[in-house]
Amino acid sequence: MMGHSHAVSGAMLYAASAPFLPPLLLGVHLAPADILMGTVLCAGAALLPDLDHHDGTIAHFLGPVSKLLCRLVAWISGGHRHATHSLLFVALTGLGSWAGISYLGRNFTLGLTFVLLALAIRALRIHPPGDGPTAWLTIVGMAALGTAGLNRWLPSAPGWLPYAVALGALAHLLGDCLTKQGAPLLWPHRERYEIVLIKRSGNGVETKFLVPVMTVATFALLWFTALAPTVSS
């Protein structure tokens, strides 16, 4: 799947699960602001497994810095769709986010928020077209402004943020399981799991059907869980 599709799937999965899974798994009921913030950040987190892709959406979100990082991760993890496309990686992203928030404090939380916002802006194409300096400088500026704004509403230690990160990574894996190459969910076991609905990345099934359906579903879910006048804050 394309980066845009992954981001939309992450947003939809967070919006759909926010009223149910956080109370069950975390023991907390999310306020409307938490649902809105989490939906955007989960969209960004849905790009994280592609840290192993030297030319994917995530490789371009911060220009040369992100390209170098992706090449390094690809070398360490064994290439595209290997270690970072596993349930182990999902667990590590969630645990790593929790540890950073718990032990490194507010600066880590804001840094993670900035990265996830930048990824979401890139994947959802809320920036000038292209991969040049204008695009990624705009992404950096918008992410910085967004992080400064969210700083006002983010809890001191948002327990839902590691959940959003792990859920976004999981959404990515589920999306790749719909393609011909599948994903090695149980890595280092090499078997790839797939239910092929998308025969070629970016084809009509993905761009003209799945993405529009997921987009509409996300906005509908947000309306009922966070935006409707009857929803309490």
Side-chain angles (χ1 to χ4, degrees):
M1 293 180 76
M2 300 176 67
H4 179 75
S5 307
H6 283 306
V8 175
S9 71
M12 183 189 70
L13 196 57
Y14 187 92
S17 65
F20 311 107
L21 287 184
L24 179 64
L25 299 177
L26 308 175
V28 295
H29 291 271
L30 301 186
D34 297 330
I35 295 175
L36 291 172
M37 288 187 290
T39 297
V40 176
L41 297 180
C42 190
L47 277 291
L48 290 176
D50 272 352
L51 275 168
D52 64 1
H53 194 337
H54 73 280
D55 198 33
T57 300
I58 194 171
H60 298 284
F61 87 112
L62 291 180
V65 175
S66 52
K67 287 185 179 181
L68 180 61
L69 175 62
C70 287
R71 288 186 181 276
L72 177 62
V73 173
W75 177 72
I76 294 172
S77 65
H80 184 46
R81 291 207 193 187
H82 287 84
T84 65
H85 284 67
S86 67
L87 295 176
L88 175 61
F89 180 79
V90 172
L92 290 176
T93 58
L95 289 173
S97 301
W98 172 84
I101 291 169
S102 300
Y103 297 107
L104 300 179
R106 190 66 172 176
N107 289 336
F108 177 88
T109 300
L110 294 178
L112 178 60
T113 299
F114 169 83
V115 170
L116 297 180
L117 276 178
L119 287 172
I121 291 166
R122 175 73 197 192
L124 297 174
R125 302 165 187 165
I126 314 172
H127 63 85
D131 298 326
T134 300
W136 58 264
L137 285 174
T138 302
I139 292 169
V140 169
M142 292 178 67
L145 289 173
T147 301
L150 290 183
N151 183 38
R152 180 177 178 182
W153 291 283
L154 275 171
S156 57
W160 51 264
L161 186 50
Y163 166 78
V165 172
L167 190 67
L170 178 62
H172 186 113
L173 268 58
L174 295 176
D176 279 351
C177 284
L178 300 180
T179 67
K180 290 181 71 174
Q181 293 182 339
L185 300 180
L186 301 181
W187 184 93
H189 181 58
R190 294 185 178 183
E191 181 178 357
R192 292 175 178 263
Y193 298 86
E194 59 184 51
I195 302 176
V196 181
L197 296 180
I198 302 170
K199 294 183 178 180
R200 181 176 56 83
S201 181
N203 68 4
V205 173
E206 179 181 345
T207 61
K208 296 180 181 180
F209 177 72
L210 288 179
V211 170
V213 168
M214 290 190 296
T215 300
V216 171
T218 300
F219 280 107
L221 289 163
L222 289 177
W223 172 258
F224 289 110
T225 59
L227 297 173
T230 55
V231 177
S232 59
S233 59

